[in-house]
Amino acid sequence: METTTTTGKDATGKDTTGPDATAPTTTGPSITAPATTGPTPLALRLTAGGGLLLLAACLVATFMITLVDAVQGDGRGGIFITAGFWALLAGAVMGVAALIVPRRGLVIAQYCLAIGGPFLALLD
């Protein structure tokens, strides 16, 4: 019959014979924080509704820029004015989509396209 002796050390050389030899070596509490959630659907819908008001104001600004360009320029709108109006249309589509299915990306796209409309018209 063969007997084995233990030295009280593991493969890394740590002592495994003390009172907390089997206790895990963690520091601090082991409580996990809850996953953070984004804004509520109601908040996103309200923000999208405000974005539709911003789109209306940007539409008026784009019309004014177009009229000033027509009077001071050559009398016709260029490609950037057309792109500005298309950006406003795309922003309106994003805003309605954000009202139906509230997503943060849709609201961000709506605001970016709303601000982009008059800026594109200014480039002409």
Side-chain angles (χ1 to χ4, degrees):
M1 183 163 172
E2 205 176 296
T3 59
T4 59
T5 58
T6 58
T7 60
K9 297 202 184 246
D10 62 0
T12 60
K14 291 172 73 179
D15 186 17
T16 59
T17 58
D20 38 320
T22 59
T25 56
T26 59
T27 57
S30 62
I31 300 172
T32 58
T36 58
T37 59
T40 63
L42 177 64
L44 285 173
R45 283 190 173 110
L46 289 175
T47 306
L52 289 175
L53 293 175
L54 176 68
L55 274 163
C58 288
L59 181 65
V60 170
T62 305
F63 274 131
M64 290 173 38
I65 292 167
T66 303
L67 290 176
V68 167
D69 183 58
V71 170
Q72 293 178 354
D74 58 358
R76 62 183 182 90
I79 191 75
F80 286 113
I81 288 178
T82 305
F85 282 115
W86 277 106
L88 291 173
L89 178 67
V93 169
M94 292 295 158
V96 170
L99 285 174
I100 296 170
V101 182
R103 299 283 184 260
R104 184 184 302 185
L106 290 174
V107 175
I108 291 171
Q110 175 192 12
Y111 275 81
C112 290
L113 288 167
I115 298 299
F119 279 125
L120 283 170
L122 280 173
L123 290 175
D124 190 37

